[in-house]
Amino acid sequence: MPDGQGRGIVLRVQRDYSDGAEGLAKAIRKADPSYDPKKDRDLRVDDCPDCPRTPSSDSNCCVLWTLWSVILLGLRFLIPDIVYGVRWSAVKMMGSIKSHASQELAVLKAELAALKQQKPAAP
């Protein structure tokens, strides 16, 4: 038990261990009359028996982190290629759409010129 200056106060000294574990337990019980052995934690048992912590889940955690790291590293190298590929495809599609639209426009201009040359019928 610490005193006000940070030193411990000795309540009982026993120079031998002839009583064994039972004698030690009795001494502890005498020192604290409110001692309840039912409240003692069993350190051999996990604090949270319902928790899903098992040794295999810890090892799976490392595998998952490694897998995510590899995936993200791969994406880091592939994203520029994907962006340039999408851009190249978009440029090709826009070129195709423009050429098709200009062909249609040329046809419509030709039809308009033909219509302008025809004279409307007089009433």
Side-chain angles (χ1 to χ4, degrees), residues 70-85:
V70 168
I71 289 171
L72 291 175
L73 186 64
L75 285 177
R76 183 200 179 281
F77 287 111
L78 290 177
I79 284 176
D81 293 338
I82 292 170
V83 168
Y84 287 124

Side-chain angles (χ1 to χ4, degrees), residues 42-115:
D42 188 0
L43 299 177
R44 297 170 293 172
V45 180
D46 193 13
D47 288 340
C48 181
D50 297 332
C51 294
R53 268 202 187 268
T54 59
S56 63
S57 70
D58 291 339
S59 63
N60 287 341
C61 180
C62 295
V63 171
L64 289 176
W65 277 109
T66 304
L67 180 64
W68 278 111
S69 300
V70 168
I71 289 171
L72 291 175
L73 186 64
L75 285 177
R76 183 200 179 281
F77 287 111
L78 290 177
I79 284 176
D81 293 338
I82 292 170
V83 168
Y84 287 124
V86 168
R87 187 176 182 192
W88 179 81
S89 298
V91 167
K92 289 293 182 182
M93 286 193 314
M94 290 303 293
S96 173
I97 290 171
K98 283 182 183 178
S99 68
H100 184 67
S102 61
Q103 287 174 357
E104 284 185 21
L105 187 60
V107 169
L108 289 174
K109 283 183 180 179
E111 287 178 8
L112 182 62
L115 287 174

